[in-house]
Amino acid sequence: KDLVLGSQSDFVLEFFSPLCGHCQAFAPRYDELATSLAADGAVKALRMDVFHNKVPKEGGEAGFKFSGVPAIFRGTRDASSGQLRVSLYK
């Protein structure tokens, strides 16, 4: 929760399930993205297993709402207000 909601740097966050065929097929591409972003250092790449973990209430309130997996969000911190902005990649 703190790693995402308290983050001061930009991030991408994938919500996935280990039982999801689409998630398993997409995993190598997300791993490539995560490796590329980690090398750059400007954006964190994160993952959350929603089969074994529940999205906390604060996450839903921040805008992490989805109806299926995989679901990928981008998070940025507004420079002027400091508020977290999240958007779902479609």
Side-chain angles (χ1 to χ4, degrees), residues 38-60:
D40 181 34
V43 179
K44 294 181 198 174
L46 309 167
R47 300 178 87 197
M48 182 175 177
D49 175 350
V50 295
F51 183 77
H52 293 104
N53 302 285
K54 186 174 181 179
V55 176
K57 178 181 175 188
E58 297 89 348

Side-chain angles (χ1 to χ4, degrees), residues 1 18 20 26 28 41 51 53 79:
K1 176 173 93 172
C20 167
F26 181 69
F51 183 77
N53 302 285

Side-chain angles (χ1 to χ4, degrees), residues 7 10 15 17 27 32 40 45 48 53 55 57-58 61 75 79 86 88 90:
S7 178
D10 293 351
F15 292 97
S17 169
E32 288 176 23
D40 181 34
M48 182 175 177
N53 302 285
V55 176
K57 178 181 175 188
E58 297 89 348
E61 292 170 351
V86 297
L88 176 65
K90 296 184 179 189

